[in-house]
């Protein structure tokens, strides 16, 4: 972040010089396009002068379509397995590519010619791998709480595999009965659109927020 701040200050100085030259009579037709990783897009005055366009995550069918377009089919994956990878990657293309590579490395080590199924994808894309890949984006939500980042990944994976779960069950099974800690984590994940909660009778039911 410190290095990015220095770079943005240099870009801002250059940009102001462009306008100064234009005022003095020089012809300057300049478009400036900057790309930021979302988690780092904060903390500099110059950002307030930019028009902001957010690149949204790809939908699973678009990622599967890209794979088909490149290779002509979903082989050696089943379509359901590719869909599983797309959802585990949360629509982030570079992560989709990484998970495909991890699966293919494991597949070729097996030495057989069966298709890659969703169960194999879940086996090879481990919880530890997802923790590592989601570390930066969850750092924004829980900047100094590594334990809560890990618990969040466990929760999101469980919701993905099991479907909606009651908040009381989540508190018992994931947070060892710590209801207040559970509630604080769910509050933040809901505020950042990872999950949603709905009352069903006397129970709060937690489910993944549909980004598809």
């Amino acid at each position: 972040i410190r290095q990015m701040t220095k770079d943005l200050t240099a870009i801002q100085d250059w940009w102001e010089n462009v306008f100064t030259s234009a005022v003095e009579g020089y012809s300057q037709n300049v478009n400036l396009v900057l790309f930021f990783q979302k988690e780092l897009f904060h903390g500099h005055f110059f950002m307030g002068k930019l028009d902001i366009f957010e690149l949204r995550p790809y939908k699973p069918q678009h990622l599967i379509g890209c794979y088909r377009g490149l290779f002509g089919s979903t082989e050696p994956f089943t379509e359901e397995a590719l869909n599983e990878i797309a959802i585990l990657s949360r629509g982030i293309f570079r992560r989709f590519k990484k998970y495909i590579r991890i699966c293919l490395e494991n597949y070729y080590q097996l030495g057989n010619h069966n298709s890659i199924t969703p169960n194999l994808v879940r086996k090879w894309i481990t919880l530890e791998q997802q923790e590592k890949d989601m570390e930066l984006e969850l750092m924004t939500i829980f900047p100094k709480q590594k334990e809560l980042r890990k618990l969040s990944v466990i929760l999101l994976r469980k919701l993905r595999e099991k479907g909606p779960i009651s908040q009381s069950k989540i508190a018992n099974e994931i947070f060892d009965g710590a209801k207040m800690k559970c509630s604080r984590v769910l509050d933040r994940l809901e505020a950042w659109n990872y999950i949603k909660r709905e009352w069903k009778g006397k129970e709060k039911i937690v489910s993944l927020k549909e980004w598809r």
Side-chain angles (χ1 to χ4, degrees), residues 28-179:
Q28 297 284 350
N29 295 311
V30 178
N31 289 317
L32 177 64
V33 181
L34 304 174
F35 291 88
F36 295 88
Q37 188 154 330
K38 184 177 179 180
E39 293 78 18
L40 297 176
F41 189 77
H42 59 83
H44 197 284
F45 177 76
F46 186 53
M47 293 177 175
K49 299 182 179 180
L50 305 177
D51 292 326
I52 301 167
F53 301 91
E54 183 178 349
L55 300 179
R56 303 298 299 168
Y58 287 96
K59 296 181 179 180
Q61 61 265 33
H62 293 157
L63 292 172
I64 295 169
C66 180
Y67 188 97
R68 282 185 186 276
L70 286 171
F71 304 110
S73 71
T74 65
E75 294 181 359
F77 300 89
T78 66
E79 185 161 346
E80 293 77 14
L82 273 185
N83 187 69
E84 185 72 16
I85 293 174
I87 293 173
L88 288 174
S89 71
R90 295 192 58 80
I92 299 171
F93 193 79
R94 68 179 181 276
R95 201 176 292 168
F96 180 69
K97 288 172 59 181
K98 179 195 285 188
Y99 291 172
I100 285 174
R101 174 180 56 77
I102 290 171
C103 288
L104 289 177
E105 286 173 352
N106 282 277
Y107 172 74
Y108 289 122
Q109 286 177 8
L110 289 177
N112 62 37
H113 300 288
N114 295 326
S115 295
I116 298 173
T117 63
N119 284 337
L120 287 174
V121 170
R122 287 189 284 270
K123 176 182 176 182
W124 293 334
I125 308 302
T126 63
L127 181 64
E128 290 73 20
Q129 180 67 56
Q130 285 192 283
E131 285 178 35
K132 182 179 178 182
D133 292 336
M134 293 187 71
E135 175 76 9
L136 185 57
E137 62 184 276
L138 290 175
M139 187 81 75
T140 306
I141 308 173
F142 308 105
K144 298 179 181 179
Q145 298 157 304
K146 186 175 180 64
E147 179 201 5
L148 299 188
R149 295 196 293 272
K150 180 175 182 177
L151 291 172
S152 295
V153 175
I154 293 171
L155 168 62
L156 294 173
R157 181 149 181 156
K158 192 175 187 70
L159 290 172
R160 165 72 193 111
E161 294 175 357
K162 304 294 185 181
I165 306 172
S166 70
Q167 183 165 324
S168 59
K169 188 173 182 180
I170 290 169
N172 289 329
E173 293 186 359
I174 298 177
F175 293 86
D176 293 326
K179 294 181 180 180

Side-chain angles (χ1 to χ4, degrees), residues 192-209:
W192 284 80
N193 291 317
Y194 283 88
I195 64 167
K196 62 180 180 180
R197 289 181 288 182
E198 299 174 303
W199 283 100
K200 289 191 176 179
K202 296 182 179 180
E203 283 272 26
K204 260 188 182 178
I205 303 300
V206 182
S207 59
L208 287 177
K209 187 71 177 288

Side-chain angles (χ1 to χ4, degrees), residues 17-30:
N17 288 334
V18 168
F19 278 107
T20 300
S21 299
V23 170
E24 293 174 353
Y26 295 99
S27 176
Q28 297 284 350
N29 295 311
V30 178

